[in-house]
Amino acid sequence: MKKNAPTESLDQTDLQLMRHLQEDGRLSNAKLAQRVALSETPCWHRLRKLESEGYIQGYQAMLDRRKLGLGELAFISLNFSPHTAQAFEALEQLVAANDQVLTCHRVTGEADFVMMVVAEDLDSVRDFIDKVLRTLPNVATVRTSLSLREVKFSSKLPLPA
């Protein structure tokens, strides 16, 4: 890790807590405390500190999109012309309110934004592009790539050793 890295204030116990929670977010405080060799109260206090400092932002279940009828995963790139703060704000508001959009990033390179979107089928992807994205102001181009096969999906972050 680099000097003055954001994790330098974390000790090995904090890192172990986060590793265990990334593996199983449903661990009880008692089991978690046992795994990191703490008693329950100090373990609970450490978790609350990691949460309050924003290292742990929340807990959620990992769902299988296919079993929920969301068979298509699309990577959609958007370009805006002209670039305006209002157009970008409109996109950000739309993305925040739309559960189909799993991630959205302002990027460098050929696109202005890239997003990952789930949909039931190809018609639903097309409808999202035509009826949602193309209604935004200043959208110049929309490029879509469909996932043929998911090689890896993870939300686990690498933590220092």
Side-chain angles (χ1 to χ4, degrees), residues 2 5 9-10 22 24 27 36 45 49 73-74 76-77 79 87 89 93 95 115 126-127 131 135 144 146-147:
K2 296 178 187 174
S9 65
L10 301 173
Q22 282 195 120
D24 184 358
L27 281 175
V36 297
H45 284 292
K49 181 177 181 246
L73 181 64
I76 301 175
S77 303
N79 289 80
E89 287 173 24
Q93 289 174 5
V95 164
M115 62 182 71
R126 185 197 64 234
D127 287 346
K131 296 176 182 175
T135 65
T144 305
L146 297 173
S147 174

Side-chain angles (χ1 to χ4, degrees), residues 46-65:
R46 279 180 179 259
L47 281 177
R48 293 302 157 262
K49 181 177 181 246
L50 291 169
E51 291 168 355
S52 70
E53 291 179 357
Y55 289 100
I56 298 174
Q57 295 182 342
Y59 303 88
Q60 66 185 32
M62 304 264 308
L63 306 178
D64 186 322
R65 68 178 170 82

Side-chain angles (χ1 to χ4, degrees), residues 148-160:
L148 298 176
R149 183 171 72 92
E150 191 170 89
V151 177
K152 178 181 179 178
F153 176 79
S154 177
S155 62
K156 296 176 189 169
L157 298 176
L159 295 171

Side-chain angles (χ1 to χ4, degrees), residues 67-142:
K67 288 188 178 195
L68 295 168
L70 300 168
E72 294 298 331
L73 181 64
F75 299 90
I76 301 175
S77 303
L78 293 175
N79 289 80
F80 288 81
S81 183
H83 292 152
T84 66
Q86 294 84 4
F88 291 172
E89 287 173 24
L91 173 71
E92 290 174 14
Q93 289 174 5
L94 178 139
V95 164
N98 193 306
D99 290 339
Q100 275 187 272
V101 180
L102 301 182
T103 64
C104 181
H105 299 268
R106 175 93 191 263
V107 296
T108 61
E110 292 184 25
D112 295 318
F113 290 87
V114 176
M115 62 182 71
M116 185 168 56
V117 175
V118 291
E120 293 175 5
D121 52 31
L122 289 176
D123 289 337
S124 299
V125 173
R126 185 197 64 234
D127 287 346
F128 179 76
I129 293 167
D130 292 344
K131 296 176 182 175
V132 179
L133 294 179
R134 291 198 186 273
T135 65
L136 291 167
N138 305 348
V139 171
T141 59
V142 179

Side-chain angles (χ1 to χ4, degrees), residues 23-52:
E23 288 297 322
D24 184 358
R26 293 183 62 185
L27 281 175
S28 68
N29 186 59
K31 284 208 187 266
L32 190 57
Q34 182 182 25
R35 290 190 183 180
V36 297
L38 287 175
S39 61
E40 290 182 37
T41 301
C43 182
W44 184 85
H45 284 292
R46 279 180 179 259
L47 281 177
R48 293 302 157 262
K49 181 177 181 246
L50 291 169
E51 291 168 355
S52 70

